[in-house]
């Protein structure tokens, strides 16, 4: 078994004008694909060949000799998860279980939106902004580079990629504008609710 590049869960131009087909041609077709190809090369002929992606990530996490494998495998997972966090006509206020949890744990939607945007905007350099479940409560988190809440035992519910390759073709240096479009037009709250279980 090799790790496969998943298809985008929507047509490549479906999120325009907020994320262009051109961005996905590079972000999915080049960057995500390269992480998949590198992961497969690095596990080939090792004890991790044939393992599922989460097992590979956990095995490589914290092992300096496996840093390259961790970076590539975690980036495969992060991107596959990120695509599912997006949908055409998404964003805005959530409904259902996550709406009630945001009210209870994060001070309501408006505060969540401001805090999540701030987490993405202030992640220095490349990384990710997350909504996670930690000890039964929602938390907003940042990770650098390929780091993942999975390795801390926190359950990822929502993520946005704030590497420059995620937004530079469409927004140049305006990362906060990309984050605002994510909040207002792109978040797949059905996926977030499904992750809450
Ligand atoms: Mn990316």
């Amino acid at each position: 078994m090799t790790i496969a590049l998943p298809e985008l869960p929507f047509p490549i131009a479906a999120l325009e004008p907020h994320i262009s087909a051109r961005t996905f041609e590079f972000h999915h077709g080049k960057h995500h694909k390269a992480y998949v190809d590198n992961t497969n090369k690095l596990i080939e002929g090792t004890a991790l060949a044939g393992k599922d992606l989460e097992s590979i990530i956990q095995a490589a996490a914290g092992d300096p000799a496996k840093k390259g494998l961790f970076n590539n495998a975690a980036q495969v997972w992060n991107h596959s998860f990120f695509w599912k966090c997006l949908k055409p006509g998404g964003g805005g206020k959530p409904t259902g279980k996550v709406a009630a949890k945001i009210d209870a744990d994060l001070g309501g939607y408006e505060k969540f939106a401001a805090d999540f945007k701030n987490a993405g905007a202030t992640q220095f350099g490349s990384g990710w902004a997350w909504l996670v479940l930690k000890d039964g409560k929602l938390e907003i988190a940042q990770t650098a580079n390929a780091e993942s809440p999975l390795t801390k035992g926190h359950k990822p519910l929502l993520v946005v990629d704030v590497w420059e390759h995620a937004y530079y073709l469409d927004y140049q240096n305006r990362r906060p504008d990309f984050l605002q479009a994510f909040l207002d037009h792109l978040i797949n709250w059905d996926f977030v609710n499904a992750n809450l279980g």
Side-chain angles (χ1 to χ4, degrees), residues 95-116:
T95 56
K97 194 181 285 189
V98 74
K101 290 280 292 171
I102 284 173
D103 287 344
D105 298 343
L106 298 177
Y109 175 76
E110 298 303 330
K111 185 168 188 327
F112 155 78
D115 290 348
F116 189 87

Side-chain angles (χ1 to χ4, degrees), residues 7-197:
E7 297 279 323
L8 290 172
F10 37 76
I12 196 165
L15 303 189
E16 291 191 345
H18 309 296
I19 302 178
S20 64
R22 184 80 172 144
T23 288
F24 281 116
E25 284 171 12
F26 282 90
H27 200 177
H28 176 258
K30 308 281 187 195
H31 292 280
H32 195 184
K33 182 177 187 300
Y35 298 131
V36 169
D37 292 346
N38 288 336
T39 299
N40 284 320
K41 272 183 218 152
L42 288 165
I43 60 174
E44 191 178 355
T46 77
L48 292 173
K51 301 283 191 192
D52 65 78
L53 186 58
E54 289 194 24
S55 301
I56 293 167
I57 291 167
Q58 297 292 1
D63 181 347
K66 292 192 171 71
K67 187 67 179 169
L69 176 59
F70 174 82
N71 284 339
N72 282 282
Q75 283 293 79
V76 173
W77 194 98
N78 290 351
H79 284 88
S80 299
F81 190 78
F82 178 43
W83 310 144
K84 293 185 209 164
C85 291
L86 303 168
K87 74 167 191 181
K93 286 189 180 181
T95 56
K97 194 181 285 189
V98 74
K101 290 280 292 171
I102 284 173
D103 287 344
D105 298 343
L106 298 177
Y109 175 76
E110 298 303 330
K111 185 168 188 327
F112 155 78
D115 290 348
F116 189 87
K117 183 177 176 181
N118 186 57
T122 61
Q123 169 55 38
F124 189 76
S126 296
W128 303 80
W130 304 82
L131 180 67
V132 302
L133 193 65
K134 179 185 173 188
D135 303 326
K137 287 203 159 191
L138 298 186
E139 274 192 18
I140 293 168
Q142 298 170 310
T143 62
N145 300 318
E147 293 294 330
S148 165
L150 289 176
T151 60
K152 303 186 185 94
H154 305 161
K155 186 178 173 57
L157 303 174
L158 172 71
V159 77
V160 63
D161 187 342
V162 297
W163 285 57
E164 284 187 346
H165 67 218
Y167 60 86
Y168 219 84
L169 290 176
D170 297 323
Y171 298 86
Q172 290 76 52
N173 61 321
R174 293 175 286 113
R175 189 194 286 185
D177 291 358
F178 167 63
L179 291 163
Q180 194 64 50
F182 178 76
L183 286 162
D184 291 344
H185 302 290
L186 297 173
I187 295 176
N188 183 348
W189 287 115
D190 297 333
F191 179 64
V192 180
N193 269 314
N195 292 332
L196 260 179

